[in-house]
Amino acid sequence: MKLCRRAQELAAYRGTVGFVPTMGALHEGHLSLVRACRSACDTTVVSIFVNPTQFNDPKDLENYPRTEEADLALLEEQGVDFVFAPAVDEIYPTPDTRVFDFGGLDRVMEGEHRPGHFNGVGQVVSRLFEIVRPNRAFFGEKDFQQLAIIRHMTAQLGLPIEIVGCPIVRDVDGLARSSRNTLLSPEHRAAAPRIYAVLAEAAESLRGKVSVPEAKRIIAQRIDAEPLLRTEYIEIASADSLQPAADWGQRLGELRCFAAVHAGPVRLIDNVPF
Ligand code: PAF
């Protein structure tokens, strides 16, 4: 495994190149992307870069877990070929002032609640694509909206990169794996599986039985019944356009239910097919 700090060190690839962009603090969710990448591509490149332009809250950036040594050991074990772990000025030699048009995909949910977040994601992912030049790139469905936005951006920029979405990896108690989970207190960690439990149960029992606004209200109420959790939003939206559903009869194709929930100072997101 070759560790590269500079873009020009990424050279001498073999065959098809797969890319897994990460912000480090790696967990089983990331490792599932690495495995998918390795089984589909000849060369696997993983980046570790905590991208400052996608944090709308400076405290969140400051507190974001950084565990590079452990991350490198895990990636070595997985048989990764290249790790790209640059400093900020390697990615942004000058401030990135590009503003992306994601065709409205960024106006709902995370985009609405974290202003500027997806523009920062667009900046870093397009820059990483330019440096790594992969044939395929792998992203987790936990960040479902991010995946849709990256697909849109890749097509818009005309990049010959296949974007591969991979299923959410959960702990045995159902909590979606996330780097932020390490920041949870033991009490909040014990409360957090309620998010998925409520979403999964609601997907079975509520569709078509109550109105969409009522379903969202019931889901938020059930999550917030746990005093250590506070729902920021629940949305039921098209899995393709991410447009919120007003009623079950709309022709939006497959629906998904999306949640953002605070567990103390930690903000968690999750989503399920609905
Ligand atoms: O999903 C993430 O970890 C990040 O948003 C990404 C795609 C690595 C860009 O910084």
Side-chain angles (χ1 to χ4, degrees), residues 12-32:
Y13 291 152
R14 199 170 39 81
T16 54
V17 179
F19 177 40
V20 181
T22 83
M23 298 207 296
L26 301 182
H27 51 70
E28 197 46 46
H30 296 112
L31 300 186
S32 76

Side-chain angles (χ1 to χ4, degrees), residues 21-23 30 47 49 51 54 64 117 121 124-125 128 139 143 146 150:
T22 83
M23 298 207 296
H30 296 112
S47 64
F49 179 66
N51 171 38
Q54 72 185 74
Y64 201 82
H117 167 65
V121 170
V124 76
V125 172
L128 288 167
F139 296 87
D143 297 294
Q146 167 174 278
I150 289 168

Side-chain angles (χ1 to χ4, degrees), residues 11-240:
Y13 291 152
R14 199 170 39 81
T16 54
V17 179
F19 177 40
V20 181
T22 83
M23 298 207 296
L26 301 182
H27 51 70
E28 197 46 46
H30 296 112
L31 300 186
S32 76
L33 302 181
V34 171
R35 284 185 208 108
C37 182
R38 284 202 70 228
S39 67
C41 305
D42 302 310
T43 297
T44 293
V45 184
V46 177
S47 64
I48 300 177
F49 179 66
V50 181
N51 171 38
T53 72
Q54 72 185 74
F55 285 83
N56 56 321
D57 173 359
K59 266 223 189 85
D60 192 22
L61 173 61
E62 197 183 312
N63 294 337
Y64 201 82
R66 287 165 172 85
T67 58
E68 192 184 88
E69 211 176 304
D71 293 346
L72 294 176
L74 283 173
L75 295 175
E76 176 99 63
E77 223 171 80
Q78 292 293 321
V80 165
D81 302 290
F82 293 88
V83 176
F84 180 47
V88 172
D89 59 4
E90 184 69 7
I91 298 295
Y92 302 117
T94 55
D96 192 337
T97 53
R98 289 174 300 160
V99 176
F100 290 86
D101 176 359
F102 297 123
L105 290 171
D106 58 332
R107 273 187 227 126
V108 292
M109 300 187 286
E110 290 302 280
E112 187 184 344
H113 290 260
R114 300 182 65 191
H117 167 65
F118 285 124
N119 201 64
V121 170
Q123 290 173 340
V124 76
V125 172
S126 59
R127 180 80 182 112
L128 288 167
F129 281 177
E130 188 182 297
I131 293 171
V132 176
R133 289 164 288 109
N135 302 103
R136 296 196 182 99
F138 297 75
F139 296 87
E141 288 186 344
K142 185 176 78 67
D143 297 294
F144 198 89
Q145 190 174 9
Q146 167 174 278
L147 173 62
I149 284 174
I150 289 168
R151 279 213 170 96
H152 180 89
M153 181 191 77
T154 306
Q156 195 176 43
L157 297 176
L159 301 175
I161 302 171
E162 183 191 342
I163 304 299
V164 184
C166 299
I168 298 176
V169 176
R170 299 183 180 281
D171 273 340
V172 281
D173 57 13
L175 179 64
R177 298 298 301 258
S178 162
S179 303
R180 292 174 202 275
N181 293 356
T182 59
L183 303 173
L184 291 165
S185 70
E187 295 74 23
H188 288 104
R189 174 64 190 80
R194 185 178 188 95
I195 302 166
Y196 175 64
V198 169
L199 293 179
E201 202 280 327
E204 290 289 308
S205 67
L206 293 184
R207 184 170 179 157
K209 306 278 184 356
V210 296
S211 69
V212 171
E214 183 63 2
K216 293 197 284 191
R217 195 191 59 72
I218 292 172
I219 293 167
Q221 191 183 50
R222 287 178 185 169
I223 291 174
D224 293 345
E226 161 57 65
L228 294 177
L229 301 178
R230 182 173 55 81
T231 299
E232 184 173 313
Y233 68 79
I234 298 294
E235 192 55 272
I236 295 172
S238 158
D240 299 320

